Amino acid sequence: MELRDLIIVTGGAGFIGSNFIIDWLQNETGKVVNLDKLTYAGNPKNLAALNGDSRYEFVHGDICDLELVPTLFQTHRPRAVVHFAAESHVDRSIQFPGEFVRTNVQGTLNLLQNALDYWSNLDASDRAQFRFLHVSTDEVYGSLQSEESPFTEITPYAPNSPYAASKAGSDHLVRAYHHTFGLPTLTTNCSNNYGPFQFPEKLIPLVFLNALEGRPIPVYGDGQNVRDWLYVLDHCAGIRTVLEKGEPGETYNIGGCNERKNLDIVEIICDTLDQICPSSVVGPRRNLITYVKDRPGHDRRYAIDASKIREQLGWSPSVVFEQGIQQTVRWYLDNMEWVNEVRSGAYQQWLQLNYKER
Ligand code: NAD
Ligand code: DAU
């Protein structure tokens, strides 16, 4: 049996995965099968635009499932797997590290082993075509001092949070499956994404909502931590590029070359909202900024050196941050129904737990 023009995406109902699937179907041929467990972070409504699209199929399931995953490979005969599924929030990993090891490490292992079993039984030309692309993070490299050069693909791993450690573990397994068994893997390590469909536990949508509704905006520590922000569709384009042109066994850093202090991000969102929807009740939103107890082990600075993907594969970011953040704020304002739906009881419980002692 031959490979089909079909990819399996894991975690495609989350923030980046849903943007990726919509973007993929607009730019590529073939089908997408999306395997997602629908945790609190997964929302099928992110993909409502694809209702009735015969090129898209949703499978509700867990990447750790030892029976479902091999069946998916045999049924769909994918030409690639793009693996997003993960527990992704650092603060949650401080509260519940076990869930991160289960999904991020064991789940990735289960996918790799089943990809290997499937790939090993393909004929030579299909084996040469197949790819397993693992979506990872810059957090595996640890924290930079202000004067240090950005992370490259050969920066030693030094994960500091349970989330980062679990992603580092999954990256090492991907590396080992290539090195030991020859599985044609690709790994991308990307910086902080922002854009539509991001769950409002993460900095940018959380600040947007609190600022909109006139609630205190919690800034951890002194607000001087630095992140390198990339518009989500630029990340998706980077992944498509790596899948098409990347060398099996290689890793590629993806980043926006856009370092910003947290406080600057918060102020930009406050000012953007003041411009778009000024409120005499709330007043200037910057007044809502509230310094709270720091995140334990909070990494000071992340920055990506993306020269490898730029020079070898021809990818570079296209969205200027000031435009991207305006677009994002407008997207959230236009999609308050989506926002209100994801702010379920479980989300309210999380806010209580995370911010109660801050
Ligand atoms: P997210 O938390 O928004 O979405 C994760 C998705 O995975 C959800 O749909 C969830 O239901 C699904 N999922 C979780 N556990 C699962 C399991 N056991 N089986 C099947 N599905 C499961 O995450 P995101 O921000 O979209 O991140 C996606 C990937 O990109 C992650 O691997 C993350 O580490 C990586 N990444 C994220 C960023 C970022 O800024 N958000 C940056 C770099 C890399
Ligand atoms: O670098 C890539 C990573 O970016 C991804 O791998 C993760 O999945 C993603 O969640 C993100 O991790 P961060 O920890 O950088 O993102 P977060 O939005 O949680 O926080 C961004 C910064 O803002 C961080 O320095 C902590 C700070 N922060 C966050 C929250 C939620 C606050 O000051 N206040 C807050 O309430």
Side-chain angles (χ1 to χ4, degrees):
M1 271 209 283
E2 289 188 351
L3 288 190
R4 292 176 62 201
D5 186 9
L6 176 153
I7 63 168
I8 293 180
V9 170
T10 70
F15 162 49
I16 307 175
S18 56
N19 278 286
F20 176 82
I21 290 176
I22 292 168
D23 179 64
W24 177 272
L25 289 171
Q26 281 165 2
N27 286 286
E28 308 283 340
T29 60
K31 259 190 89 164
V32 174
V33 173
N34 173 18
L35 170 63
D36 199 298
K37 184 180 171 185
L38 299 182
T39 66
Y40 77 93
N43 184 354
K45 295 225 168 119
N46 296 359
L47 296 153
L50 303 177
N51 283 347
D53 189 331
S54 58
R55 294 173 62 207
Y56 172 67
E57 184 176 330
F58 178 68
V59 177
H60 185 195
D62 190 329
I63 58 168
C64 300
D65 190 321
L66 301 177
E67 285 169 17
L68 173 65
V69 172
T71 309
L72 276 184
F73 276 98
Q74 290 314 319
T75 310
H76 295 290
R77 310 204 57 85
R79 69 176 174 88
V81 173
V82 183
H83 174 35
F84 293 95
E87 290 293 337
S88 72
H89 189 37
V90 173
D91 290 324
R92 285 187 193 252
S93 81
I94 295 166
Q95 304 277 359
F96 315 110
E99 203 45 36
F100 283 68
V101 172
R102 181 187 175 277
T103 284
N104 300 0
V105 182
Q106 283 174 235
T108 302
L109 176 64
N110 189 38
L111 287 172
L112 283 166
Q113 184 55 43
N114 282 291
L116 177 63
D117 293 345
Y118 164 73
W119 174 79
S120 305
N121 287 306
L122 296 173
D123 65 31
S125 76
D126 284 351
R127 270 207 303 278
Q129 258 194 67
F130 180 80
R131 297 287 182 272
F132 183 103
L133 191 150
H134 173 59
V135 180
S136 192
T137 170
D138 58 0
E139 303 207 7
V140 297
Y141 299 122
S143 185
L144 290 166
Q145 304 288 328
S146 56
E147 69 289 353
E148 278 184 289
S149 302
F151 304 128
T152 70
E153 289 78 1
I154 57 168
T155 301
Y157 273 33
N160 289 320
S161 69
Y163 163 68
S166 67
K167 290 297 289 188
S170 65
D171 293 9
H172 290 323
L173 285 169
V174 173
R175 176 191 157 88
Y177 268 69
H178 175 74
H179 189 85
T180 305
F181 306 113
L183 187 70
T185 60
L186 297 156
T187 299
T188 54
N189 294 87
C190 189
S191 61
N192 286 61
N193 285 215
Y194 69 99
F197 299 118
Q198 188 166 31
F199 193 79
E201 64 188 351
K202 305 280 170 72
L203 180 72
I204 287 181
L206 185 126
V207 169
F208 160 82
L209 269 181
N210 286 22
L212 182 72
E213 295 171 351
R215 280 179 279 111
I217 299 172
V219 171
Y220 296 170
D222 62 4
Q224 299 302 300
N225 303 66
V226 173
R227 298 290 183 265
D228 178 352
W229 292 95
L230 179 70
Y231 191 66
V232 63
L233 287 177
D234 275 332
H235 185 191
C236 296
I239 293 170
R240 282 196 284 110
T241 304
V242 171
L243 196 55
E244 185 194 339
K245 301 185 198 161
E247 191 64 33
E250 290 294 309
T251 69
Y252 297 89
N253 283 357
I254 305 181
C257 209
N258 176 42
E259 290 183 55
R260 308 269 171 165
K261 292 184 175 133
N262 290 345
L263 189 59
D264 297 338
I265 296 285
V266 171
E267 289 178 348
I268 291 173
I269 298 170
C270 289
D271 298 348
T272 307
L273 269 175
D274 286 349
Q275 265 176 17
I276 302 178
C277 45
S279 161
S280 55
V281 181
V282 176
R285 265 97 176 184
R286 285 187 185 210
N287 293 347
L288 299 168
I289 293 172
T290 308
Y291 292 94
V292 298
K293 194 169 151 217
D294 211 351
R295 170 185 279 173
H298 195 177
D299 284 337
R300 193 65 175 166
R301 173 177 165 239
Y302 304 142
I304 281 279
D305 177 343
S307 18
K308 180 174 173 183
I309 184 172
R310 189 180 63 244
E311 286 163 17
Q312 295 186 8
L313 309 186
W315 172 90
S316 56
S318 67
V319 178
V320 177
F321 183 71
E322 283 68 20
Q323 264 171 21
I325 200 81
Q326 282 263 350
Q327 257 167 256
T328 303
V329 167
R330 283 189 187 279
W331 185 87
Y332 278 96
L333 281 170
D334 292 344
N335 289 275
M336 285 306 289
E337 203 181 313
W338 179 91
V339 173
N340 289 329
E341 266 184 36
V342 302
R343 287 200 286 186
S344 64
Y347 175 65
Q348 296 305 335
Q349 278 166 23
W350 164 251
L351 293 181
Q352 290 283 331
L353 181 67
N354 191 44
Y355 295 97
K356 85 169 181 263
E357 282 168 13
R358 288 200 152 113

